[in-house]
Amino acid sequence: MSRAVAEFGLADVEAAAARIAGRVHRTPVVRSRLLDAEAGCQVHPKAEHLQRAGSFKVRGATSAVRALDPAVLARGVIAVSSGNHAQAVALAAAEAGTSAVIVMPADSNPAKLAATRAYGAEVVSEGVTHERRDEVVLALAAKRGLHLIHPDDDPDVMAGQGTAALELVEQVGELDVVVVPVGGGGLIAGTAAAVKGRSPGTRVVGVEPAGADDACRSLAEGRRVRLPGPPVTLADGVRALTPGERTFAVMRRLVDEIVTVTEEDLLAAVTFLWSRTKQLVEPSGALPVAALLTGAVRARRAGVVLSGGNVDAATLAAHLTPAGA
Amino acid sequence: MSRAVAEFGLADVEAAAARIAGRVHRTPVVRSRLLDAEAGCQVHPKAEHLQRAGSFKVRGATSAVRALDPAVLARGVIAVSSGNHAQAVALAAAEAGTSAVIVMPADSNPAKLAATRAYGAEVVSEGVTHERRDEVVLALAAKRGLHLIHPDDDPDVMAGQGTAALELVEQVGELDVVVVPVGGGGLIAGTAAAVKGRSPGTRVVGVEPAGADDACRSLAEGRRVRLPGPPVTLADGVRALTPGERTFAVMRRLVDEIVTVTEEDLLAAVTFLWSRTKQLVEPSGALPVAALLTGAVRARRAGVVLSGGNVDAATLAAHLTPAGA
C-alpha cells in the first residue's frame, strides 16, 4: 500500500482517471423511461457492462498496473480470479506490454478461461481449488517475482474502480444518491471517494444480496464480519466472505448505508433490464436497480453503476422470461 | 393508399417524422470498437431494439394512426400480427386515444399476447390460424368499421419506418451504405426513400435470410416472386412469403441490392451482438450485422438498423454461447 487508507479520497480517484484515460471506455449513461417509471425516480445507469472486457474491473486493473514502477512492471503481474478480474488484469497487462499469470480454479467457466487466454495471459488452473488458490498464487508470485494485483483491497485498484462514478457525476450532474453493488468493496470504496469528494451532499449506498451480506453486517457491527459459509446467490461477482481490510476502512468513513435485496427481487431486476431495456447486465450488476425497484433505496435522482455484463448461457436460459414489450 | 407510390420519397418520410415526433424515441447510435474491428469498417448501428415496444414497428404504426381522419380514428383500428406490429399498433392506438383490435394466431407467444393486451388492445385469438387470419381480420374490420393498419404495404407505414434511417443520417453524417433487414419491405422502402432523398450517393442494401429470400428473388426476376412454402429461419420478423405490392414498387426504384446470409452466419451475428456488445437484438435485427461480418456487404462507413429486441427465453437459451469478454 503506497499511502494511508485514512487519506484515500478524490485525489486518488482523479490520479487513477489520469492513468487510465484513453485505455478504457468512457461508458455511456443508458437511461430508460420504463425504468424511471418503475423505480419512481430519475435513474442514471452508468453502463459498465459496455466497458472493455465487459466490466468495471478493467478500470482498477489498469489503474494498478499503470501505477507500478517500470522495473516491477517488467517482471510481470499475477492475479487470482474466476471472474471479471481475470480478464481485466489480462487485458491491462497486455496493453502495458507486460506478462500476466492468472490463477483460475479448475472448475471455472471454460469461456472465461478461454477469454482470459485470448488476452494473452498464462492461465494456471491445474489442481487449483477455491481453498488452495491463495496459497498457489502467493507461491507463484514469490517464485517468479510477479506483482500481485488484488481484486479489491489495494488503493490503486479502489481508485480505478471509483473512476466510473467520477465520470457519471461529470456526465449527469447533481445526484441525491449513487448506488453500487458491494462484493469485496473496491467499487464502493472508490465510488465513495469520488462522490463525496465532488459532491459531499450526495449519499453513497451499497447493495448486497441478502445471502452475501458481509459488508452490511460489518458496517452494522463496526468490525469486519466473516460469513460462516460460502454465499449463495446468483450474483457471482459479489460472493465475498468478508470485506477487505482497506476497503472496509474506507466504507466506514465514507459510505452512508448498505442495503440488501432478496434473490427474488434481484432476479426480477435482471429480467427487467434484459427484457424491457434490452441491456445484458450480469446479476451482480443489477443489484442497484433491484434496490431502487423494491424501494430499499429511495431517491429523486439516482446514479447507479451497472457493473458488468458477463453472464453465461445457462444463467440466461434458466432465468430470462420472454421479452414482451 | 393516399398518393401514388411512384412519387413516394423523402417528403413522405419527413411528414411522418413530424407526425411521430415526441411520440417515439429518437434512439441512440450504439457503436462498438469490437464490431468495427470484426467488420473491417466503421459501423453505425441505430438502436431500434431500444425503441418503444421494442422495435422500429412503432414508428410505422404511429405514423399511420396519426395520419387518419379524426372520424376514422375515432372508430378504432385493427391489425393482424403475431409479432412486433401487434404491440406497435396497440401502443400507437392507445396513445392516440382510440381502440385497437389485434388479431393474433392462437399459438402466438403468450408473452406477446400479454404485452399486447397490456397496451390496452383487444386481442382476438380464438380459432385464428395463420391461414385464416386475413379472413378474420377483414370480416372484423368490415363488421365493426375499423381501419386496418397493414404491417408494411401502406405508404404511411413505410414512411414511418423510414424515419429511423432519416435520424441515423442526421446523427452520424455521410455514409457509403445503409443496410437494413427485409421482411414485407416496409422498412427498406422507407429507408430507401429517406436515404436516397438526403444522400443520393449512399447505397441502400437489404438483407434476407437465405431461407426467406423472396425480395432478393423478386428483384432479380423483376416481379413479385412468392416462396413455395413457409420460410424457415430463426429471424421470425422477416418470414414473408412475398414482398408487398407497394413496397416492391419502391424497392425496384430505390434499392441498390438485396443480399442473403445463411442461418449459421445470422446466428453468429446475434451471438456476437449479445456476448460482445451486450445488446439484446432479436435475430431479424441482426441481419445487417451478419451481412457486414460475412463480407456480403462491403463498406467503409456503414449505417445499419438493429430493428428490434423482442426475443424470447427459448431462443436465447438455445443459441447464446457464453459471454467471454
Side-chain angles (χ1 to χ4, degrees):
Chain A
M1 188 166 39
S2 53
R3 59 198 163 278
V5 170
E7 292 164 20
F8 179 79
L10 178 60
D12 297 275
V13 181
E14 288 174 337
R19 282 198 296 278
I20 72 176
R23 308 187 197 283
V24 307
H25 291 323
R26 186 176 174 91
T27 51
V29 176
V30 289
R31 295 202 58 197
S32 157
R33 203 189 288 196
L34 282 167
L35 176 56
D36 286 4
E38 292 289 320
C41 65
Q42 268 191 33
V43 186
H44 298 265
K46 178 74 169 163
E48 288 296 299
H49 62 300
L50 306 181
Q51 186 51 268
R52 298 190 72 189
S55 88
F56 75 97
K57 289 279 186 181
V58 75
R59 294 177 180 270
T62 303
S63 166
V65 165
R66 298 284 173 169
L68 295 175
D69 288 334
V72 174
L73 180 65
R75 284 198 297 273
V77 298
I78 187 168
V80 55
S81 170
S82 55
N84 291 332
H85 184 57
Q87 291 165 62
V89 172
L91 175 59
E95 298 220 329
T98 193
S99 60
V101 174
I102 312 292
V103 176
M104 300 180 83
D107 61 351
S108 298
N109 183 323
K112 294 200 171 179
L113 289 167
T116 305
R117 284 197 187 96
Y119 286 124
E122 175 189 346
V123 173
V124 175
S125 289
E126 211 184 303
V128 177
T129 61
H130 284 270
E131 295 70 30
R132 279 196 65 240
R133 63 187 199 169
D134 286 350
E135 188 185 320
V136 170
V137 85
L138 292 173
L140 260 177
K143 185 176 157 192
R144 300 211 207 161
L146 304 173
H147 180 87
L148 176 64
I149 307 284
H150 195 280
D152 298 294
D153 213 29
D154 169 336
D156 291 324
V157 171
M158 288 151 52
Q161 318 302 34
T163 59
L166 191 67
E167 289 175 15
L168 176 60
V169 170
E170 289 169 3
Q171 287 166 307
V172 306
E174 196 73 20
L175 296 164
D176 56 317
V177 62
V178 172
V179 194
V180 298
V182 183
L187 179 60
I188 196 166
T191 299
V195 171
K196 294 294 186 182
R198 282 283 169 96
S199 171
T202 300
R203 295 171 67 230
V204 174
V205 177
V207 188
E208 291 184 314
D213 62 345
D214 55 295
C216 182
R217 291 196 207 186
S218 297
L219 273 194
E221 297 197 19
R223 63 178 186 88
R224 292 168 62 214
V225 171
R226 191 177 184 82
L227 297 180
V232 178
T233 173
L234 188 64
D236 57 357
V238 297
R239 288 187 193 135
L241 281 174
T242 185
E245 184 185 332
R246 296 167 184 82
T247 59
F248 184 61
V250 176
M251 278 187 232
R252 288 191 71 175
R253 183 160 55 84
L254 297 176
V255 170
D256 293 280
E257 190 184 5
I258 295 183
V259 301
T260 63
V261 296
T262 64
E263 287 298 294
E264 192 182 353
D265 290 334
L266 174 57
L267 187 52
V270 170
T271 305
F272 181 89
L273 289 168
W274 290 347
S275 66
R276 306 302 296 265
T277 76
K278 315 300 177 190
Q279 302 289 336
L280 259 182
V281 176
E282 62 183 88
S284 305
L287 283 164
V289 170
L292 287 169
L293 291 176
T294 58
V297 174
R298 297 193 175 279
R300 286 173 293 104
R301 207 159 180 280
V304 301
V305 177
L306 303 178
S307 58
N310 293 330
V311 61
D312 63 36
T315 303
L316 279 168
H319 299 292
L320 184 62
T321 59
Chain B
M1 189 166 37
S2 53
R3 57 198 165 276
V5 169
E7 292 165 20
F8 180 78
L10 177 61
D12 297 275
V13 182
E14 288 174 336
R19 281 198 296 278
I20 71 175
R23 309 188 197 281
V24 307
H25 291 323
R26 188 176 172 90
T27 52
V29 176
V30 290
R31 295 201 57 196
S32 157
R33 202 191 287 194
L34 282 166
L35 176 56
D36 285 5
E38 292 290 320
C41 66
Q42 268 192 32
V43 186
H44 297 265
K46 178 75 168 163
E48 288 295 298
H49 62 301
L50 306 181
Q51 186 51 268
R52 299 190 73 190
S55 88
F56 74 97
K57 288 278 184 181
V58 76
R59 295 177 180 271
T62 302
S63 166
V65 164
R66 298 283 174 171
L68 294 176
D69 287 333
V72 174
L73 179 66
R75 285 198 296 273
V77 298
I78 188 168
V80 55
S81 169
S82 55
N84 291 331
H85 184 58
Q87 293 164 61
V89 172
L91 176 58
E95 298 220 330
T98 193
S99 60
V101 174
I102 311 292
V103 176
M104 300 179 80
D107 61 350
S108 297
N109 184 323
K112 295 201 170 178
L113 289 167
T116 304
R117 284 197 186 95
Y119 285 123
E122 176 189 346
V123 173
V124 174
S125 289
E126 212 183 303
V128 177
T129 61
H130 284 269
E131 294 71 29
R132 278 198 65 240
R133 62 187 201 170
D134 286 350
E135 186 185 322
V136 170
V137 86
L138 292 174
L140 259 178
K143 184 175 157 194
R144 300 210 206 163
L146 304 173
H147 180 87
L148 176 64
I149 308 284
H150 195 280
D152 299 295
D153 213 28
D154 168 336
D156 291 325
V157 171
M158 289 150 53
Q161 317 302 33
T163 60
L166 191 67
E167 290 175 16
L168 177 59
V169 170
E170 288 169 3
Q171 287 166 308
V172 307
E174 196 72 22
L175 296 164
D176 56 316
V177 60
V178 172
V179 194
V180 298
V182 183
L187 179 60
I188 197 166
T191 299
V195 171
K196 294 294 185 184
R198 282 285 169 95
S199 171
T202 300
R203 295 172 65 231
V204 174
V205 177
V207 188
E208 290 185 314
D213 61 346
D214 55 295
C216 181
R217 292 196 206 185
S218 298
L219 273 194
E221 298 197 17
R223 61 176 187 90
R224 292 168 63 214
V225 171
R226 190 176 185 84
L227 298 180
V232 178
T233 172
L234 189 63
D236 57 357
V238 297
R239 288 187 193 136
L241 281 174
T242 185
E245 184 186 331
R246 295 167 184 81
T247 58
F248 183 62
V250 176
M251 278 188 233
R252 287 190 72 173
R253 183 159 55 85
L254 297 176
V255 169
D256 294 280
E257 189 184 5
I258 295 185
V259 302
T260 63
V261 296
T262 65
E263 287 297 295
E264 191 182 354
D265 290 334
L266 175 57
L267 187 52
V270 170
T271 304
F272 182 88
L273 288 169
W274 289 347
S275 66
R276 306 302 296 266
T277 76
K278 316 299 178 190
Q279 303 288 337
L280 260 180
V281 176
E282 63 184 88
S284 305
L287 284 164
V289 170
L292 287 168
L293 291 177
T294 58
V297 174
R298 299 195 175 278
R300 286 174 292 103
R301 207 161 179 279
V304 301
V305 177
L306 303 179
S307 59
N310 293 330
V311 60
D312 64 34
T315 304
L316 279 168
H319 300 292
L320 183 63
T321 59

